[in-house]
Amino acid sequence: MKNQNTKIRIKDIATMAGVSEGTVDRVLHERGEVSEKSREAVQKVLDEINYSPNLLARSLASKKHYHFACLIPMHKVTDYWESVEKGFSQAAIDYLHYNIHIERKYFNQFDANSFVDVSKELVKSQPDAVIMAPIFRNETLAFTKELQQLEIPFSFIDSMIEDADFLTYYGQNSFQSGYIAAKLLLNSLPDAAQVLVLRTDRKGAVSNQTIARINGFMSFVSENKLSNIELIHLEMNDENEDANREILSDVFSKNTNIKAAITFNSRVYRLANHLEILQHADVRLIGYDLLQKNVDYLKQDIVSYLIAQRPEKQAYFTIRDMCAKLIQKQSITKINYVPIDILIKENIEDYMQFGE
Amino acid sequence: MKNQNTKIRIKDIATMAGVSEGTVDRVLHERGEVSEKSREAVQKVLDEINYSPNLLARSLASKKHYHFACLIPMHKVTDYWESVEKGFSQAAIDYLHYNIHIERKYFNQFDANSFVDVSKELVKSQPDAVIMAPIFRNETLAFTKELQQLEIPFSFIDSMIEDADFLTYYGQNSFQSGYIAAKLLLNSLPDAAQVLVLRTDRKGAVSNQTIARINGFMSFVSENKLSNIELIHLEMNDENEDANREILSDVFSKNTNIKAAITFNSRVYRLANHLEILQHADVRLIGYDLLQKNVDYLKQDIVSYLIAQRPEKQAYFTIRDMCAKLIQKQSITKINYVPIDILIKENIEDYMQFGE
DNA sequence: ATATTTTCTGTGTACGCACACGAAATTATT
DNA sequence: AATAATTTCGTGTGCGTACACAGAAAATAT
């Protein structure tokens, strides 16, 4: 019941405080050049009434331009990161008249040097704020340190490095999502069932997120003392699909009781495809993220569950919060875990439709 | 790549079309008083460039006030409808400077006459648009007919009457949510398990939504030929809790293999409470909506699943779309099914936190 | 006491649009 | 042809705020 905005304008405040509109403006924006006497008079009125500025008028009148730079992995249009980009685009549209400009920069997520190079370029364009996916821990820390010296605020998306002094983080609680994946996947499996646990080799680059997800997964397993099932860990190759199929074929010939499988990234569609070809389509599958191919397999009942994390929202809200913080000086929440959405064949349709 | 708004103003359009700004305004708002010649000239420019008005400036300059009336069931603050109200409130804040005013009216959801009375009152205040929960089919149809004669647009929330010419509907696909509930509840139950299916007596008032949910539920049962389980249908009383406990106690004494139970409304916390008292807390429970009590039981692992439907969003988007349609003359989607969110102990926290 | 600097303050213009009012152009009437 | 009625059109003002600039007041120096 507090937000009772009775439409008080700057003009009114000026009258009440017995000063000019310009003075009120100076107090509001802490521009200085105000005598202590009139500052107090204005502040008093400001505290009494519950002034909330007309944001429409404010951004209409404001001449300031804001330049946000986004630093995310380069990707194909079918990839997870494309959803993130959609969020940026939507924010760019919605906040168009706030005079914001969103610049995108891409790095190779399998090459830390690429991140370093692109981040250096990025600084040159002197952005007002930076949004990045902190895939490489050390390189990110070096970069954020530089940003801090330049007094450029930054936010993390998708994953987070706690040591850095970021503005916001939007992303999933990865540990928890691995835990949930385990619960869904291992729930009431027959005795002595075998479960494939797949990782993807990334040329030595370690993804924080994947590790956290696996930890969550294993945590569920040990907490529930699932001694009746057998986990089979496999390493997939990110490029050589024939080799992958070979590996899988091999595993299935040696193990006849495989009932379930999980990938900790968005590549479950590949697994589904292999199993389809190898005629093991009845294995319970679970994976992450709503790539079109994943969704297709979910609808065909070949994938049983997908876990989603609202990537568009992550991107959109990150921009929104930057506007709130930088332009409107509002306070924002630092760490924002997005919901861990459980998608099955039956609820995927409405979920996708509803979009944002 | 189309929304490349290059910031073209009315002034520019006027210059391009060789007319005055006033004329452009008249064409844009179809105010008439424009010669066919200049109308065409302006329209041509409008089609060529991709003019998108500055909504900030538009609503800043607009003197119009909009009055939206909401007609929903009266309720306690712990109820489902409170979430809907939150959505209205949030919209009221966000769209404050669009000069909208949201009026709330409440009817007794167990008394159709109350709906009629309140709706009559509502019309007197001459709202620009109406948002309602169409609990009573016939009475709603009579009301919407009247609104249509008065040329007052209206939207449905929570459930929908297809025959009426509504602006939007936000709500769940109830059938589908019942189907999902069945899938979650009946998944790998032991042989010969008994399942309680609860309805609440509403003094003869039939809720569309509950019926659709039950249909969805039963549809899953018959599709999957679950002959190994036994459904036990029970009628609960909405007021007499002692009687309910009696009934449940009775059922459990006569049936020793009850493994699961479902309520098709938000009252699963009552069921959980009864079962706790009756020492049957190990029954798998499922219910709807995130009342605090339901959430508490979910976190305690007494309720296994909750199905949610984003009530705040339903309300918020309904208002948003009304603004889009009435104030900004944009086109909107008529039927909007909200996602059927599956909540378990492990993902409820982030879901609640994320809020909107 | 006056000149000079510094600190402070009031006013005017712009943002992009809506809308009112009066003027101009067109058409109808005498 | 002259005037009245009607249709069309152009301009000016305001929405609530930001910000620049000139000018007043106060403080300091001469």
Side-chain angles (χ1 to χ4, degrees):
Chain A
M1 283 299 143
K2 49 175 291 201
N3 228 312
Q4 283 300 346
N5 189 317
T6 345
K7 294 225 183 176
I8 297 176
R9 292 144 301 160
I10 287 185
K11 198 198 292 183
D12 300 322
I13 298 174
T15 313
M16 292 187 199
V19 298
S20 72
E21 296 183 37
T23 302
V24 175
D25 180 272
R26 283 171 205 113
V27 174
L28 276 175
H29 293 74
E30 295 173 6
R31 294 191 213 278
E33 301 190 334
V34 188
S35 70
E36 189 55 26
K37 194 179 132 218
S38 33
R39 207 197 59 76
E40 271 174 15
V42 172
Q43 193 58 55
K44 187 157 163 263
V45 178
L46 243 33
D47 291 342
E48 274 172 16
I49 67 167
N50 195 23
Y51 174 68
S52 84
N54 186 328
L55 300 181
L56 303 179
R58 171 168 285 187
S59 39
L60 180 64
S62 177
K63 289 177 167 45
K64 282 219 190 78
H65 284 248
Y66 290 88
H67 171 205
F68 297 159
C70 304
L71 190 54
I72 61 172
M74 50 182 98
H75 57 271
K76 300 187 194 144
V77 288
T78 56
D79 194 276
Y80 168 78
W81 289 99
E82 188 65 18
S83 302
V84 174
E85 291 230 51
K86 265 191 204 154
F88 287 139
S89 303
Q90 187 57 45
I93 293 172
D94 285 6
Y95 295 106
L96 172 73
H97 297 292
Y98 284 73
N99 287 329
I100 71 168
H101 171 239
I102 298 178
E103 181 190 11
R104 293 133 195 254
K105 290 277 188 182
Y106 306 96
F107 62 90
N108 181 341
Q109 60 180 310
F110 304 110
D111 178 6
N113 289 328
S114 142
F115 178 86
V116 175
D117 293 346
V118 178
S119 67
K120 273 182 186 154
E121 260 183 57
L122 193 151
V123 168
K124 282 186 201 150
S125 69
Q126 299 192 316
D128 298 295
V130 175
I131 295 153
M132 73 184 96
I135 306 259
F136 306 105
R137 186 185 161 82
N138 293 336
E139 288 77 3
T140 301
L141 275 172
F143 180 42
T144 57
K145 202 175 159 189
E146 190 185 352
L147 289 176
Q148 216 154 359
Q149 280 173 349
L150 294 167
E151 295 191 344
I152 299 174
F154 58 91
S155 289
F156 289 143
I157 193 167
D158 195 63
S159 61
M160 151 173 71
I161 294 178
E162 311 212 18
D163 307 333
D165 190 24
F166 53 95
L167 216 59
T168 66
Y169 162 63
Y170 276 90
Q172 208 169 50
N173 184 332
S174 304
F175 180 93
Q176 195 70 6
S177 83
Y179 192 96
I180 289 176
K183 182 171 178 180
L184 297 174
L185 189 71
L186 306 179
N187 162 44
S188 59
L189 281 180
D191 249 22
Q194 297 172 308
V195 177
L196 292 183
V197 179
L198 305 195
R199 312 189 191 203
T200 303
D201 178 29
R202 293 201 164 195
K203 301 178 186 167
V206 197
S207 155
N208 281 330
Q209 204 180 43
T210 303
I211 292 173
R213 284 175 181 170
I214 293 178
N215 286 344
F217 186 92
M218 296 310 293
S219 179
F220 178 88
V221 172
S222 63
E223 267 181 32
N224 291 274
K225 306 199 179 62
L226 296 176
S227 49
N228 61 325
I229 63 160
E230 178 193 345
L231 298 181
I232 303 173
H233 294 269
L234 282 186
E235 193 95 0
M236 292 276 101
N237 189 301
D238 200 56
E239 283 158 351
N240 191 335
E241 287 303 325
D242 291 336
N244 288 340
R245 198 174 306 115
E246 194 74 24
I247 295 171
L248 286 169
S249 174
D250 200 45
V251 167
F252 273 94
S253 68
K254 287 181 187 154
N255 302 279
T256 55
N257 205 24
I258 297 173
K259 298 294 181 194
I262 181 169
T263 68
F264 288 100
N265 55 33
S266 61
R267 312 300 179 203
V268 71
Y269 66 89
R270 289 195 200 151
L271 179 59
N273 183 246
H274 289 319
L275 296 193
E276 218 178 0
I277 292 171
L278 294 172
Q279 311 224 336
H280 290 291
D282 57 336
V283 175
R284 186 190 293 178
L285 288 187
I286 193 166
Y288 285 82
D289 302 327
L290 303 188
L291 310 196
Q292 189 54 52
K293 286 185 189 167
N294 289 351
V295 171
D296 291 343
Y297 278 117
L298 186 70
K299 284 183 180 169
Q300 291 171 48
D301 231 352
I302 293 174
V303 167
S304 297
Y305 296 95
L306 287 175
I307 292 181
Q309 54 180 323
R310 311 196 191 180
E312 302 92 345
K313 284 283 170 198
Q314 291 185 31
Y316 185 89
F317 283 152
T318 302
I319 301 279
R320 184 196 63 175
D321 285 0
M322 285 209 152
C323 292
K325 174 78 177 178
L326 301 183
I327 305 181
Q328 297 165 19
K329 318 280 182 195
Q330 293 171 1
S331 65
I332 52 180
T333 307
K334 192 171 176 184
I335 296 181
N336 305 273
Y337 288 122
V338 298
I340 299 167
D341 289 324
I342 300 171
L343 281 314
I344 58 181
K345 187 187 167 192
E346 287 83 5
N347 70 344
I348 186 69
E349 190 72 43
D350 293 341
Y351 185 89
M352 299 275 290
Q353 195 80 36
F354 198 66
E356 36 96 38
Chain B
M1 284 297 146
K2 48 173 293 203
N3 227 311
Q4 283 301 345
N5 188 317
T6 346
K7 293 222 182 178
I8 298 177
R9 292 143 301 159
I10 287 185
K11 198 198 289 183
D12 301 321
I13 297 175
T15 313
M16 292 187 200
V19 298
S20 74
E21 296 182 37
T23 302
V24 175
D25 180 274
R26 284 174 204 111
V27 174
L28 275 175
H29 293 76
E30 296 173 4
R31 295 190 212 278
E33 302 191 334
V34 189
S35 69
E36 188 54 26
K37 194 177 135 216
S38 34
R39 207 196 60 75
E40 272 174 15
V42 172
Q43 192 59 55
K44 188 156 163 265
V45 178
L46 243 32
D47 291 342
E48 275 171 17
I49 68 169
N50 195 23
Y51 174 69
S52 84
N54 186 328
L55 300 181
L56 303 180
R58 172 168 284 187
S59 39
L60 183 63
S62 176
K63 290 178 167 42
K64 283 218 189 77
H65 283 248
Y66 291 87
H67 171 202
F68 297 160
C70 304
L71 191 52
I72 61 173
M74 51 182 101
H75 56 271
K76 302 189 193 142
V77 287
T78 56
D79 195 276
Y80 169 78
W81 289 100
E82 188 66 16
S83 302
V84 173
E85 290 229 51
K86 266 191 202 155
F88 287 139
S89 301
Q90 188 57 46
I93 293 173
D94 285 6
Y95 294 107
L96 173 72
H97 296 292
Y98 285 71
N99 287 330
I100 70 168
H101 171 239
I102 297 178
E103 181 191 12
R104 292 133 196 252
K105 289 277 188 183
Y106 306 96
F107 61 90
N108 182 342
Q109 60 179 309
F110 304 110
D111 179 7
N113 289 328
S114 141
F115 178 86
V116 175
D117 293 345
V118 178
S119 66
K120 273 181 184 153
E121 261 182 55
L122 193 152
V123 168
K124 282 187 202 150
S125 69
Q126 301 192 315
D128 298 294
V130 175
I131 295 153
M132 73 184 96
I135 306 259
F136 306 104
R137 187 185 160 81
N138 293 337
E139 288 76 5
T140 301
L141 275 173
F143 180 42
T144 57
K145 202 175 160 191
E146 189 185 353
L147 289 176
Q148 217 156 358
Q149 281 172 348
L150 295 167
E151 295 191 345
I152 300 174
F154 58 91
S155 289
F156 289 143
I157 193 165
D158 195 63
S159 61
M160 151 173 70
I161 293 176
E162 310 212 18
D163 306 333
D165 190 23
F166 52 96
L167 216 58
T168 65
Y169 163 63
Y170 277 90
Q172 206 167 50
N173 184 332
S174 304
F175 180 93
Q176 194 70 5
S177 84
Y179 191 96
I180 288 176
K183 182 172 178 180
L184 297 174
L185 189 71
L186 307 179
N187 163 44
S188 59
L189 281 181
D191 250 24
Q194 297 172 306
V195 177
L196 292 183
V197 178
L198 304 195
R199 311 189 191 203
T200 302
D201 177 29
R202 291 201 167 199
K203 299 178 188 168
V206 197
S207 155
N208 281 329
Q209 205 180 41
T210 303
I211 293 172
R213 283 176 181 171
I214 293 178
N215 287 342
F217 186 92
M218 297 310 293
S219 178
F220 179 87
V221 172
S222 62
E223 266 181 33
N224 290 274
K225 304 197 180 62
L226 295 176
S227 50
N228 62 324
I229 63 161
E230 178 193 343
L231 298 181
I232 301 172
H233 294 268
L234 282 186
E235 192 95 3
M236 292 278 100
N237 189 300
D238 201 55
E239 284 158 349
N240 191 336
E241 287 304 324
D242 290 336
N244 289 339
R245 194 174 310 115
E246 193 75 24
I247 295 171
L248 287 169
S249 174
D250 199 46
V251 168
F252 273 95
S253 69
K254 287 181 187 154
N255 303 278
T256 55
N257 205 25
I258 296 172
K259 298 293 181 193
I262 182 170
T263 68
F264 289 100
N265 54 32
S266 63
R267 312 299 180 204
V268 71
Y269 66 88
R270 289 195 199 152
L271 179 58
N273 182 246
H274 288 321
L275 296 193
E276 219 179 358
I277 292 171
L278 295 172
Q279 311 224 337
H280 290 291
D282 57 336
V283 175
R284 187 189 292 178
L285 289 187
I286 193 166
Y288 286 81
D289 302 328
L290 303 188
L291 310 196
Q292 189 54 51
K293 285 186 191 168
N294 288 351
V295 170
D296 290 343
Y297 277 118
L298 186 71
K299 284 184 180 170
Q300 290 172 48
D301 230 353
I302 293 174
V303 168
S304 298
Y305 295 95
L306 287 174
I307 293 181
Q309 54 179 323
R310 310 193 193 184
E312 302 92 343
K313 285 283 171 199
Q314 292 184 30
Y316 186 88
F317 284 152
T318 302
I319 300 280
R320 185 195 64 176
D321 286 0
M322 285 210 151
C323 292
K325 173 78 177 177
L326 301 183
I327 305 182
Q328 298 164 18
K329 318 281 182 194
Q330 293 172 3
S331 66
I332 52 179
T333 307
K334 192 171 176 185
I335 296 181
N336 304 273
Y337 288 122
V338 298
I340 299 168
D341 290 323
I342 300 171
L343 280 314
I344 58 180
K345 186 185 167 193
E346 287 82 5
N347 69 345
I348 185 70
E349 191 72 44
D350 293 341
Y351 185 89
M352 299 276 289
Q353 196 81 36
F354 199 64
E356 35 99 36

